Amino acid sequence: MNSPAGLLQEAFALHGAGKLDQAKALYRRVLDGAPTQPEALHHLGLIEAASGNLDEADRLMTLSDRIAPGNPDWLFNIARLAALKGDLGRARAVLEKILAKVPRHGDALVVLGGILLRLKRFADAKERLRAARRLMPGRPDVAMTLGLAEMALGNGAEAERLCREAAQAAPAWADAHSNLGYVLRMQGRDEEAEADRKSTRLNSSHITIS
């Protein structure tokens, strides 16, 4: 398959199989012949992001959106990359753009809720996360992040309930237990937090909003 379309399909297959170096080479071959091919640009950007080349990933993915604007999935990837780079304002703006077009985009609501937490917009975060929970009631990450929003708003009992729900739904997920411990400690219940930590024997790079 030497046509651009054929090369692109082959690249997608390699990319999906985790063969990133081979996929990258094919995306570049497509771009050698068609420098503004938006799918090749965007997917090459995803590989650069996975390789830690965040600025190059940003350049490629932003260019793909300029050429073929408005794809919600591509915008979501751009927003996550912006958040990864620490540009929370841009990430928020892109997510709001997605939600203006697709109000029931659950993943966008979850990521936006987390960003609003980091921006200390706790009531706004709660609103977005509650909307996400209505769409995806069984997701432990939604319960956990909503629990952190409740804790930030001073609702300790509800925060604990949500974080316990997350920890019970995903018992091997370290962040759920670490954030449950955080909520318990914020309520002065250090012994309970330590007991939960010992019972799970998990390590975590937990998120807090302190």
Side-chain angles (χ1 to χ4, degrees), residues 48-49 52-62 81 85:
E48 294 291 0
N53 302 321
L54 302 187
D55 289 338
E56 178 64 3
D58 197 355
R59 184 187 73 80
L60 292 163
M61 293 161 71
T62 300
L81 179 61
K85 293 178 69 178

Side-chain angles (χ1 to χ4, degrees), residues 160-196:
E160 181 182 344
R161 185 185 72 79
L162 288 161
C163 287
R164 283 195 186 281
E165 177 186 318
Q168 289 166 4
W173 185 27
D175 280 351
H177 292 278
S178 293
N179 281 298
L180 174 58
Y182 165 74
V183 166
L184 292 170
R185 288 187 183 92
M186 289 294 288
Q187 298 177 82
R189 294 157 63 190
D190 291 6
E191 290 184 6
E192 289 180 61
E194 181 63 14
D196 182 76

Side-chain angles (χ1 to χ4, degrees), residues 1-79:
M1 293 186 288
N2 292 319
S3 69
L7 288 172
L8 198 56
Q9 290 305 311
E10 189 177 348
F12 290 158
L14 290 166
H15 196 164
K19 299 178 180 180
L20 300 187
D21 288 341
Q22 292 167 270
K24 180 176 179 177
L26 285 184
Y27 289 136
R28 291 202 178 281
R29 281 182 62 188
V30 172
L31 292 169
D32 286 342
T36 59
Q37 212 295 330
E39 291 182 292
L41 287 166
H42 190 84
H43 286 81
L44 180 58
L46 291 175
I47 291 177
E48 294 291 0
S51 302
N53 302 321
L54 302 187
D55 289 338
E56 178 64 3
D58 197 355
R59 184 187 73 80
L60 292 163
M61 293 161 71
T62 300
L63 179 56
S64 73
D65 183 61
R66 287 185 190 143
I67 295 165
N71 182 315
D73 293 334
W74 291 8
L75 288 171
F76 183 66
N77 291 333
I78 291 168

Side-chain angles (χ1 to χ4, degrees), residues 72-142:
D73 293 334
W74 291 8
L75 288 171
F76 183 66
N77 291 333
I78 291 168
R80 290 197 302 175
L81 179 61
L84 189 60
K85 293 178 69 178
D87 191 346
L88 301 185
R90 181 185 175 207
R92 178 184 178 184
V94 174
L95 290 164
E96 295 283 14
K97 184 177 179 180
I98 294 169
L99 290 166
K101 294 183 176 184
V102 189
R104 294 173 63 83
H105 195 301
D107 287 328
L109 285 165
V110 176
V111 175
L112 179 57
I115 286 169
L116 290 167
L117 268 180
R118 292 169 67 185
L119 293 170
K120 301 190 184 301
R121 301 288 299 267
F122 303 132
D124 291 337
K126 177 178 175 177
E127 179 184 353
R128 295 298 192 174
L129 290 162
R130 287 184 70 183
R133 189 163 163 83
R134 287 191 292 272
L135 292 172
M136 302 176 295
R139 283 262 299 260
D141 58 324
V142 181

